[in-house]
Amino acid sequence: DINPNNAETARNLAEAELVAALWAAGRGRSPAAAFAATRRHAARALALDADSAAAYLTLSKGARFEAEWRLARGEDPAATVRPGLDACDRALAIDAEQHESRAIAGTLHLLLARAAADPGRRTELARQAAAELAAAFAADATLERPYAASRAEADRLATQSP
């Protein structure tokens, strides 16, 4: 039986909803309900265990993918990115070895850079993204492969003159 009062169960449900969101988006369907369920289950996990770096990581992953989806639809991703960045900060405050949170923060800053209308702001955000991704890669080389495209784009945008 599934224990609804178990933080790990709630986090796993959040991860499952995130997979459902990605599946829906990949098939041209709206992932909005699954993203909302991801947030709801992650919040439940955190209500049960406020010191769960893994739950904050799940929350930040959800924010990353939802922000990418919103940006692809021509929407401003900022309202989704900010809670994601907060989740990254909380995960790292709990567990300084949670290096994927740093990579996700870099990717979230990259999404803000993509959406920035002001060229100077775009460059600034891209530099921040590149620095966060570089720090994540330096701390954990296994992050290079899944985040290589984000790093390459951040580096490219960071070197463009405003």
Side-chain angles (χ1 to χ4, degrees):
D1 289 328
I2 295 176
N3 180 356
N5 295 316
N6 179 286
E8 190 65 17
T9 298
R11 190 187 67 74
N12 287 335
L13 288 169
E15 289 279 346
E17 289 293 349
L18 182 54
V19 170
L22 296 173
W23 183 88
R27 281 154 186 77
R29 299 179 184 153
S30 174
F35 282 133
T38 299
R39 289 189 301 275
R40 188 175 61 253
H41 289 300
R44 176 78 176 139
L46 290 165
L48 294 166
D49 180 4
D51 292 328
S52 174
Y56 282 113
L57 177 64
T58 299
L59 201 55
S60 67
K61 284 179 184 178
R64 174 215 170 165
F65 291 118
E66 184 173 359
E68 287 178 348
W69 174 69
R70 292 192 178 285
L71 190 59
R73 293 168 38 109
E75 298 175 20
D76 183 357
T80 303
V81 167
R82 301 215 188 293
L85 290 171
D86 290 343
C88 290
D89 289 345
R90 296 291 301 270
L92 285 164
I94 293 166
D95 180 3
E97 300 296 311
Q98 187 60 264
H99 303 298
E100 188 171 9
S101 291
R102 188 165 282 109
I104 293 170
T107 302
L108 289 167
H109 279 107
L110 174 60
L111 294 170
L112 289 176
R114 284 184 198 163
D118 176 61
R121 180 75 175 135
R122 183 180 312 115
T123 300
E124 175 188 335
L125 287 164
R127 286 182 180 147
Q128 187 172 1
E132 288 168 332
L133 288 159
F137 293 0
D140 183 351
T142 66
L143 295 170
E144 289 184 33
R145 185 172 179 171
Y147 292 94
S150 293
R151 172 71 189 273
E153 183 179 357
D155 287 344
R156 182 181 55 78
L157 290 175
T159 57
Q160 290 180 346
S161 51

